Amino acid sequence: MKNIETQKTMSIENEIKRLREEIRKHDYNYYVLNAPEISDFEYDRLMQELRGLENENPELVTSDSPTQRVSGEPVEGFTSVKHMVPMLSMDNTYSFEDLKDFDKRVRDSLDVPQVEYVVELKFDGLAIALQYENKIFVRGATRGDGTTGDDVTYNLRTINSLPLKLNDAAPDELIEIRGEVYMPKKSFERINKEREENMTRHSPGAARNLFANPRNAAAGSLKTLDPRITAKRGLGVFCYGAAGSLGFDTHAELLDNLKKWGLPVSSPAKICYGIDEVMDYCNEWIDKRHNLPFETDGMVIKVNSFAEQEQLGATAKYPRWAIAYKFPAEQAVTKLENVEFQVGRTGHITPVAHFQSVQLAGTKVSRATLHNFDEIARKDIREGDYIVVEKAGEIIPYVVKSLPEKRTGSEKIIREPEKCPVCGGDVYRYKDSAFLVCENQGCPALVKKSIVHFASRNAMNIEGLGPAIVDQLVDSGMVKDYGDLYFLEKNKLLGIERMAEKSADNLLSGIIKSKKQPVAKLINALGIRNVGEATARALAERFGTIEKLSAASLEELQEVSDIGPEVAESVFSFFRNPNNEEVLHKLADAGLNFGNDEYATNTKNIPQVLEGKKFVLTGTLPGISRPDASELIRKFGGSVSGSVSKKTDYVLAGAEAGSKADKAERLGVEVISWEEFLEMVGDGSDGRDGRDGRDGSDEFSQGTLF
Ligand code: IVH
């Protein structure tokens, strides 16, 4: 009997191992080689299969499994860690003359007529050190001051192109790989767009929340304390070196091997003989770089032989065997034709410069935001001026300055509009703010943007309702707010330009389908100031229904974790605004899902047995993810925090519990197991009895309580 059991476990273990290897291979194909061999559907199926087996056999879950990328718990701060060897920075230059001087210094010092270099892209992100031991990713750190950096292991683990385990060809000893974390242009654009959409009416400072360039975005995303945020940012990694030579003779060989071990190495690295070849290769990339899916701000030139590198040594700051060649900034002079005032969803009026189109960083540009009126005044930009435009971080066009010496006298000073350019309503400038805001709730610009937000994927997810159709619906008078969407008639829709029968049907069915969206999505869709996706979810969890949420007092709203007075105030006033009340009636009449009491926390069904108790979770819990376990604790009235302190009541420890459990013991905090926890909240209440062996977390949401 025992034998059969053992055999069964062995074969499950093998199957888990096989699935992990297969998924790792597909991750590599997809994220590193950009050449997927299977469809997303097939990939998801493999992941699901692995998740299923791991949930049934929690003791077989290991930290290098592809299912374990996101730990799901914020940390309180980063620990400082020491690099194996210091991470130096690099001398850099914009001129080929300096490159020739560099080459001469190297040749003289090595006493050779010609040097073999490796020339690679200079990735514009932030440097990191990745440690692997027994092929497993064990630690990752930022550069910091070069000697010690921040331990950002949990954030790095969420980056899909970073292998949690190297393949068989890699060495077993502890190695430290050096590389760069970057943000692909696509992720950068997506994130800034999201941030722009989340700008709130009365928080003009939010404009400053936009990332200036992918490098800042990468740094911000890696240095957040919550790995779940990093996971959403779509970061990438490129490896370009190691601490030491790892037993290889040349840098090129090292790169080849890093690639063989499964690490992402950018392919355009080339061996160049002599500085002329180096300069040719740099020239080749000045234009070609714009076609890359990520930013590079130059090329890095490295002496190929490790023996020669050693001979050359380093100054206090820089190695003498490497130099960065930075590409010239992409700027162009053009004529500012006019300035348009755009009104956003939040009512902010943004001046946008329209200029004669110029070629910049590989694309044609003809417009750039001027941000606000203070900036226009500070730069003394006038209509008709010649201006210098640049691509900030190579992506966002930006007006650097005007050229007053080129003025003819016919240029016009740009004045702040006194009325909203869209609705003619009053505009308001908040104290100490550089932004003008249209105050008219019915302004078509605001209405259109709020409907686009309402229909967006993370809100009501109405397919086929993009900005162009919304424009037509609002301009034709058919829709005055998002509530009207649910009362659209097909024959009227067909009156819209280019609206064919089939598109009308699709749109209507998309609208009908959206009525079933979960209440959290609806709360997000409403466009309440300061309420984004996460807050909407928290509100849905706490109140369960729109009725309860709309009746909540300021105090009750503030009881929801992470909701402060400002957010509470915007939720409270949203539901007391007569216009909004009217729209909500339309949504109710249309039969949207306004939620139900069962869904809410603190319903009488759930005994608040953990009231006031503070938990910290650590290790792998059997069959339930940490976020789901945290949710469960909150539903019973407890709270969860990321780190152990004297105030912690219980540390809930699963398999491979780490330092948190040790700290708990030191502080005399009680450490309990999952089973003990279940006893605390009452038998059977977790809804998992393992009978059908499905994913515990899945059942948890369908269990008896909910
Ligand atoms: S090698 C001593 N290679 O540039 C040389 N660095 O300005 C160590 N960087 O801190 C770095 N791409 O963050 C190297 N292909 C590349 C690189 C690269 C980008 C960054 C790195 C470094 C900075 C120095």
Side-chain angles (χ1 to χ4, degrees):
M1 183 67 192
K2 195 159 182 208
N3 209 0
I4 295 175
E5 274 300 304
T6 321
Q7 273 179 14
K8 213 167 119 195
T9 320
M10 288 262 305
S11 71
I12 292 174
E13 206 171 340
N14 283 340
E15 181 57 10
I16 288 183
K17 208 169 146 212
R18 188 193 66 76
L19 280 165
R20 286 181 189 157
E21 306 260 300
E22 191 164 348
I23 292 169
R24 266 180 212 127
K25 183 182 87 185
H26 293 303
D27 279 344
Y28 186 76
N29 289 340
Y30 185 91
Y31 293 108
V32 181
L33 302 181
N34 242 329
E37 281 175 359
I38 57 169
S39 67
D40 288 0
F41 178 77
E42 283 169 287
Y43 179 86
D44 290 344
R45 203 179 47 80
L46 289 173
M47 270 303 242
Q48 250 171 20
E49 211 174 312
L50 176 59
R51 271 209 192 93
L53 286 178
E54 288 185 344
N55 278 323
E56 283 166 31
N57 303 279
E59 70 287 356
L60 298 179
V61 177
T62 56
S63 70
D64 64 324
S65 169
T67 58
Q68 304 296 308
R69 280 202 179 268
V70 186
S71 72
E73 284 302 321
V75 293
E76 220 165 48
F78 296 120
T79 333
S80 246
V81 289
K82 198 162 183 278
H83 304 306
M84 264 189 190
V85 291
M87 293 177 80
L88 298 180
S89 64
M90 210 177 352
D91 198 3
N92 69 76
T93 176
Y94 284 92
S95 97
F96 279 168
E97 280 316 302
D98 286 352
L99 285 192
K100 287 184 196 157
D101 290 349
F102 163 78
D103 176 56
K104 184 161 185 332
R105 282 197 304 274
V106 172
R107 277 186 291 120
D108 287 352
S109 177
L110 296 174
D111 198 17
V112 291
Q114 194 188 57
V115 181
E116 193 175 306
Y117 295 105
V118 173
V119 182
E120 33 189 82
L121 299 175
K122 183 171 191 301
F123 311 107
D124 201 11
L126 75 161
I128 38 139
L130 308 166
Q131 291 194 346
Y132 284 85
E133 191 168 24
N134 291 321
K135 310 185 207 296
I136 310 257
F137 174 56
V138 288
R139 194 190 87 182
T142 60
R143 178 171 176 274
D145 63 7
T147 312
T148 54
D150 286 335
D151 183 336
V152 285
T153 312
Y154 286 101
N155 292 346
L156 286 167
R157 285 175 61 92
T158 69
I159 302 178
N160 289 316
S161 57
L162 185 136
L164 298 179
K165 183 171 185 231
L166 300 178
N167 59 35
D168 292 344
D172 277 329
E173 61 265 33
L174 175 65
I175 51 172
E176 190 170 294
I177 308 296
R178 301 284 167 81
E180 194 91 350
V181 166
Y182 68 95
M183 182 175 280
K185 292 176 187 170
K186 272 226 169 78
S187 311
F188 174 73
E189 279 158 17
R190 172 177 58 84
I191 285 156
N192 260 359
K193 194 161 159 264
E194 279 168 16
R195 295 196 144 208
E196 203 161 9
E197 280 169 4
N198 283 337
M199 248 171 86
T200 55
R201 236 174 121 63
H202 297 170
S203 65
R208 273 176 259 130
N209 283 337
L210 295 188
F211 287 121
N213 53 49
R215 177 167 28 89
N216 289 358
S221 305
L222 194 65
K223 291 189 181 165
T224 156
L225 294 173
D226 188 347
R228 288 168 297 190
I229 296 180
T230 318
K232 287 191 198 144
R233 294 284 170 83
L235 298 174
V237 183
F238 281 125
C239 298
Y240 51 60
S245 67
L246 306 188
F248 300 108
D249 290 336
T250 64
H251 179 66
E253 241 180 283
L254 171 70
L255 291 184
D256 272 351
N257 280 281
L258 295 184
K259 220 183 272 183
K260 280 188 196 139
W261 301 344
L263 287 158
V265 177
S266 157
S267 9
K270 188 182 168 188
I271 298 184
C272 293
Y273 300 94
I275 202 70
D276 289 340
E277 272 189 42
V278 168
M279 292 187 299
D280 284 347
Y281 194 55
C282 289
N283 266 327
E284 210 177 299
W285 277 98
I286 289 185
D287 286 331
K288 259 191 359 199
R289 71 184 151 129
H290 301 308
N291 304 328
L292 292 168
F294 51 85
E295 270 322 293
T296 74
D297 57 344
M299 308 291 286
V300 179
I301 296 119
K302 300 174 181 171
V303 170
N304 193 15
S305 147
F306 283 132
E308 287 180 350
Q309 285 190 7
E310 202 165 320
Q311 208 177 325
L312 289 158
T315 68
K317 268 161 82 184
Y318 308 132
R320 291 201 189 85
W321 46 264
I323 190 165
Y325 166 72
K326 302 269 279 242
F327 295 128
E330 292 258 344
Q331 283 195 341
V333 173
T334 181
K335 192 170 180 197
L336 176 58
E337 289 179 325
N338 67 296
V339 174
E340 176 204 4
F341 302 119
Q342 276 187 358
V343 188
R345 171 165 77 91
T346 53
H348 287 89
I349 300 174
T350 313
V352 178
H354 288 256
F355 43 80
Q356 284 172 0
S357 96
V358 278
Q359 190 77 16
L360 253 191
T363 49
K364 248 185 170 178
V365 282
S366 57
R367 55 201 294 263
T369 166
L370 289 166
H371 300 292
N372 59 56
F373 292 92
D374 287 359
E375 187 151 321
I376 297 181
R378 191 166 48 77
K379 292 183 179 164
D380 185 23
I381 293 171
R382 303 183 189 180
E383 243 168 23
D385 261 350
Y386 279 90
I387 51 172
V388 176
V389 285
E390 189 178 287
K391 276 204 158 181
E394 308 280 328
I395 286 188
I396 304 169
Y398 154 86
V399 179
V400 182
K401 60 177 180 182
S402 63
L403 299 172
E405 63 277 17
K406 288 191 144 205
R407 283 185 185 148
T408 61
S410 63
E411 294 75 17
K412 278 196 297 190
I413 290 182
I414 299 158
R415 302 213 181 275
E416 289 182 18
E418 282 166 10
K419 298 281 176 194
C420 168
V422 175
C423 69
D426 286 342
V427 294
Y428 191 82
R429 188 164 168 143
Y430 284 85
K431 200 167 157 264
D432 298 330
S433 160
F435 291 86
L436 284 186
V437 181
C438 168
E439 287 282 85
N440 174 12
Q441 290 285 341
C443 173
L446 267 73
V447 170
K448 285 176 184 173
K449 297 270 165 61
S450 74
I451 298 174
V452 171
H453 168 73
F454 183 84
S456 64
R457 204 151 57 93
N458 293 326
M460 300 310 275
N461 194 17
I462 305 178
E463 264 172 55
L465 192 60
I469 301 219
V470 170
D471 275 357
Q472 289 176 309
L473 292 174
V474 175
D475 292 343
S476 67
M478 257 185 253
V479 168
K480 292 196 177 54
D481 53 55
Y482 45 68
D484 291 340
L485 293 173
Y486 294 93
F487 300 91
L488 283 171
E489 289 166 21
K490 185 172 164 188
N491 56 352
K492 287 203 183 141
L493 267 183
L494 289 172
I496 287 183
E497 216 181 306
R498 287 200 300 275
M499 175 69 78
E501 175 114 18
K502 187 145 180 262
S503 336
D505 283 341
N506 285 345
L507 177 56
L508 288 174
S509 81
I511 291 173
I512 292 169
K513 217 166 85 191
S514 75
K515 291 185 187 180
K516 293 211 173 72
Q517 279 291 81
V519 70
K521 302 274 181 188
L522 174 60
I523 296 172
N524 180 30
L526 296 176
I528 305 171
R529 178 162 58 94
N530 295 323
V531 175
E533 253 185 283
T535 310
R537 220 177 305 122
L539 289 169
E541 246 167 51
R542 171 67 175 79
F543 296 102
T545 70
I546 297 285
E547 284 83 1
K548 289 236 166 81
L549 174 62
S550 64
S553 67
L554 276 171
E555 292 71 33
E556 283 170 326
L557 287 164
Q558 279 194 61
E559 278 167 17
V560 181
S561 64
D562 293 338
I563 290 190
E566 202 189 343
V567 183
E569 168 63 38
S570 28
V571 177
F572 187 79
S573 56
F574 179 90
F575 288 105
R576 275 141 199 89
N577 174 317
N579 291 336
N580 297 336
E581 276 175 329
E582 198 183 309
V583 184
L584 283 163
H585 274 129
K586 290 186 199 172
L587 299 181
D589 290 346
L592 266 72
N593 170 19
F594 270 30
N596 58 52
D597 286 350
E598 303 288 293
Y599 190 66
T601 335
N602 287 0
T603 57
K604 52 187 177 311
N605 304 344
I606 305 177
Q608 297 295 287
V609 286
L610 303 180
E611 182 115 46
K613 295 284 181 247
K614 292 193 175 57
F615 283 77
V616 170
L617 307 188
T618 178
T620 311
L621 298 170
I624 186 163
S625 70
R626 281 211 239 159
D628 284 349
S630 306
E631 203 175 318
L632 195 61
I633 291 171
R634 284 193 283 267
K635 283 185 197 281
F636 283 101
S639 65
V640 180
S641 81
S643 63
V644 185
S645 73
K646 277 197 205 128
K647 290 195 189 135
T648 311
D649 294 293
Y650 299 102
V651 168
L652 176 52
E656 289 177 46
S659 57
K660 287 182 191 171
D662 299 341
K663 187 167 177 196
E665 255 158 45
R666 269 204 314 280
L667 295 175
V669 173
E670 193 174 344
V671 180
I672 57 167
S673 69
W674 178 244
E675 288 69 29
E676 285 167 318
F677 170 78
L678 291 182
E679 266 170 39
M680 251 181 186
V681 296
D683 203 18
S685 48
D686 68 336
R688 301 170 330 121
D689 57 13
R691 265 196 310 263
D692 60 5
R694 278 181 315 170
D695 175 359
S697 57
D698 205 0
E699 272 179 64
F700 149 67
S701 53
Q702 298 165 7
T704 48
L705 281 173
F706 310 100

